[in-house]
Amino acid sequence: MLQSLHDKMGLRTSPTIFFGSILFAAVFIALTLAFPTTMSTTFSKGSGWIIANLGWFYILGVTVFLIYLVVTALSRFGRIRLSPHDEPPEHSFLTWFAMLFAAGIGTILMFWGVAEPVNHFANPPMADVEGSSVEAAREAMSFTLYHFGLHTWTIFALPSLAFAYFIYQRNLPPRVSSLFHPLLGDEGIHGPVGKAIDIIAIVGTLFGVAVSIALGTLQINAGLSAVLGIDQTTWSIIAILGVVTLLALGSVIAGLEKGIKVLSNANILAAVVLMLFVLVSGPTLHLLRGTIEGAGLYAQNLPYLAFWNDAFDDNPGWQDGWTIFYWAWTITWSPFVGIFIARISQGRTIREFVFGVLAAPVSFSIIWYGIFGFASFDIIRNGENGGELVEAVAGENGDAATALFEFLAHFPLTTFMSVFSIVIVAIFFVTSMDSASLVMDSMARGHDEDERVPVYQRAVWALLVGIIAAVLLTASPDAGITALSEFITIVGLPFFVMGYLMMWALNRAMREDAGELLPLATKQWRKVLPPEEVERRRDEGDEAWATTEVEYDPHYSTSDGQVIAAPETAAYERHDLIEPDEPHPADQVVGSSRLNGSTDGKDI
């Protein structure tokens, strides 16, 4: 039935994963709208139990992931190049940084750049210092950078590295199930277990991005209210989401090079202009000194905060509503960011990949929060009507969505810069929806060859994200967003479990593949496609060879022109070096292990 519907719609994907993900999302939305109180109560109890009993597991998990990444990058495995045949990186460092930043937490920086430091400044997390004091400012910066520094990017970097390795080194499909190939095997990743993993990953991405889009919509609406006096209404929310979704659809149709890449470069430049405006217009010397001091505070307090569990608070503590939710929320859409970063990172070594993904965005985050955070502190402590900023953001009726615009009211060119900020937020959300759509479609279909895929198939995901955000914000805003947030906290649990399995699988694969010779040589693997895609190509008369099982490519060319051959044994215990003009041993192989090959290994 699903296959018949799939074919009638002209799709080119996995029917089970595609329709299963959409059905799961539709059922959740329908139940939330039909029974908001029941759903809210159910997810509240579930998330409450997880936070109370397993919050420590979330805190420990991200720290363990960070340690694993650093150790792996510094080990001999750090020399492995994440590309099939030692190709150089596809994108320059600046373009690479702009794309991964815009698709990662660019939206979060715009939303929380002022709101987070002000909240912690007014209400210190550890409740051990007086609010709005110098000590509170130091604590606020430490926690803000903890939340949006190394730990957040670790949640993105671990699946990104695993995706890059299994996609480019082992030629497996760009799906979460592929990361568990050493555990599940060929049949497992294509079977019910693998499909269930992929459906959970896509659903988590849908809901995680929907929360971001919903928050961004509220921030854009707050900006329009400050500039044009447009109040938040059902129609204003629908209009904002409609415009953002249409722009995302246009970017999806344009593709990676003309869509996401162009928008990302423009957006990061615009964000830098906004940051420099605050730096120059504000107390410049104080902000520069504060940014440097903030980096020192972060480095000083990170070892303690990385393991802090609010253990001396007998009641549910501050951390439950902040750190644990952040980690659970972030990890649910880490598959989307992970595959996207892997896709734009082909050709980089593991060491370059890990330190690039961790160091570059974190450095920018330190500067961003240093400037916006210390500028906020200065307004509150020394500016006129500084208390209004605290009241608007962290007061009894405070709203984080208004924080940036309340902040800009204390600077020159308020109206212009507010409009400029609205545009930045909108483009950040367009790139997030665009890249999420691209990745969810890749996960559903199981391959990256976009030219074979109808454009409207990719557009479905951007449209669905926009619809979910609109329904949650307009039909039942309080129950909907609350239920979704609590749902994500619950979904985050299996993602953390998968994170530990991911480390084991990646380490197992690298140990299996890595040789002992220098430069470090790694085995090469034939391209793997989902079974339905292989059958589809055979029906189309495509002679290109493809497999549903991981099979070792018996020879391949290295970057220095040498041809490396491995004996046709199960253990693959050694590599033989063959001169390029000598007959290749693999040419003598007959049977299924030698199909459509060539002596340079590039036609396979």
Side-chain angles (χ1 to χ4, degrees), residues 32-249:
T32 300
L33 296 178
F35 310 102
T37 303
T38 302
M39 291 291 286
S40 179
T41 301
T42 301
F43 289 121
S44 178
K45 289 181 179 179
S47 63
W49 185 90
I50 288 176
I51 288 174
N53 295 279
L54 295 176
W56 63 269
F57 182 68
Y58 285 39
I59 300 298
L60 177 64
V62 184
T63 299
V64 170
F65 299 163
L66 174 59
I67 295 172
Y68 171 80
L69 287 172
V70 173
V71 171
T72 299
L74 294 176
S75 72
R76 67 191 185 98
F77 297 129
R79 299 192 299 274
I80 297 175
R81 189 168 294 279
L82 300 169
S83 60
H85 300 290
D86 252 2
E87 298 93 341
E90 292 182 318
H91 305 288
S92 68
F93 179 80
L94 289 178
T95 298
W96 178 56
F97 167 66
M99 286 195 290
L100 69 88
F101 181 82
I105 62 170
T107 53
I108 299 176
L109 294 188
M110 289 297 293
F111 191 90
W112 293 108
V114 174
E116 176 111 356
V118 170
N119 263 288
H120 302 339
F121 183 53
N123 305 294
M126 293 184 176
D128 56 347
V129 297
E130 182 181 352
S132 300
S133 63
V134 173
E135 292 76 12
R138 291 175 178 144
E139 189 170 306
M141 286 306 302
S142 297
F143 271 93
T144 298
L145 293 176
Y146 167 53
H147 284 157
F148 299 111
L150 287 172
H151 279 66
T152 286
W153 281 95
T154 290
I155 295 175
F156 296 145
L158 177 60
S160 299
L161 176 59
F163 278 124
Y165 190 88
F166 284 101
I167 291 173
Y168 299 126
Q169 292 297 110
R170 290 203 168 184
N171 271 320
L172 287 171
R175 289 176 170 169
V176 176
S177 56
S178 297
L179 310 186
F180 305 101
H181 180 265
L183 180 64
L184 299 177
D186 297 321
E187 295 183 2
I189 63 173
H190 297 305
V193 175
K195 285 180 168 58
I197 291 174
D198 293 324
I199 290 174
I200 291 173
I202 291 176
V203 170
T205 299
L206 275 172
F207 291 147
V209 175
V211 170
S212 296
I213 298 302
L215 292 176
T217 300
L218 296 177
Q219 187 177 30
I220 293 174
N221 208 152
L224 293 176
S225 176
V227 175
L228 302 176
I230 299 176
D231 294 330
Q232 179 178 315
T233 65
T234 298
W235 291 112
S236 66
I237 288 174
I238 291 176
I240 292 169
L241 280 170
V243 172
V244 172
T245 302
L246 286 175
L247 291 173
L249 289 173

Side-chain angles (χ1 to χ4, degrees), residues 406-487:
E406 292 287 343
F407 171 81
L408 290 174
H410 296 268
F411 287 83
L413 303 175
T414 299
T415 301
F416 175 80
M417 295 310 299
S418 295
V419 173
F420 186 61
S421 299
I422 292 171
V423 173
I424 296 175
V425 172
I427 298 178
F428 264 130
F429 282 104
V430 168
T431 55
S432 293
M433 289 181 70
D434 186 355
S435 53
S437 302
L438 190 72
V439 167
M440 285 187 286
D441 186 52
S442 294
M443 287 194 286
R445 70 179 186 257
H447 62 90
D448 284 327
E449 298 172 30
D450 294 339
E451 67 276 2
R452 294 177 180 264
V453 180
V455 174
Y456 61 82
Q457 179 179 301
R458 297 199 302 269
V460 165
W461 300 106
L463 188 61
L464 188 57
V465 169
I467 291 174
I468 291 174
V471 169
L472 290 170
L473 283 175
T474 60
S476 182
D478 294 331
I481 291 295
T482 300
L484 182 57
S485 302
E486 291 165 343
F487 171 75

Side-chain angles (χ1 to χ4, degrees), residues 334-455:
S334 64
F336 131 60
V337 180
I339 290 184
F340 181 77
I341 292 177
R343 186 169 183 176
I344 64 176
S345 302
Q346 181 177 351
R348 302 193 181 275
T349 65
I350 288 179
R351 185 170 297 136
E352 181 183 10
F353 179 93
V354 170
F355 290 127
V357 172
L358 290 180
V362 171
S363 299
F364 188 89
S365 296
I366 290 173
I367 297 172
W368 180 276
Y369 280 106
I371 291 174
F372 281 86
F374 277 91
S376 299
F377 302 155
D378 181 71
I379 291 172
I380 296 170
R381 290 176 59 83
N382 303 317
E384 294 184 8
N385 303 319
E388 293 180 359
L389 179 59
V390 175
E391 186 62 27
V393 177
E396 185 176 347
N397 298 314
D399 184 0
T402 66
L404 178 61
F405 305 103
E406 292 287 343
F407 171 81
L408 290 174
H410 296 268
F411 287 83
L413 303 175
T414 299
T415 301
F416 175 80
M417 295 310 299
S418 295
V419 173
F420 186 61
S421 299
I422 292 171
V423 173
I424 296 175
V425 172
I427 298 178
F428 264 130
F429 282 104
V430 168
T431 55
S432 293
M433 289 181 70
D434 186 355
S435 53
S437 302
L438 190 72
V439 167
M440 285 187 286
D441 186 52
S442 294
M443 287 194 286
R445 70 179 186 257
H447 62 90
D448 284 327
E449 298 172 30
D450 294 339
E451 67 276 2
R452 294 177 180 264
V453 180
V455 174

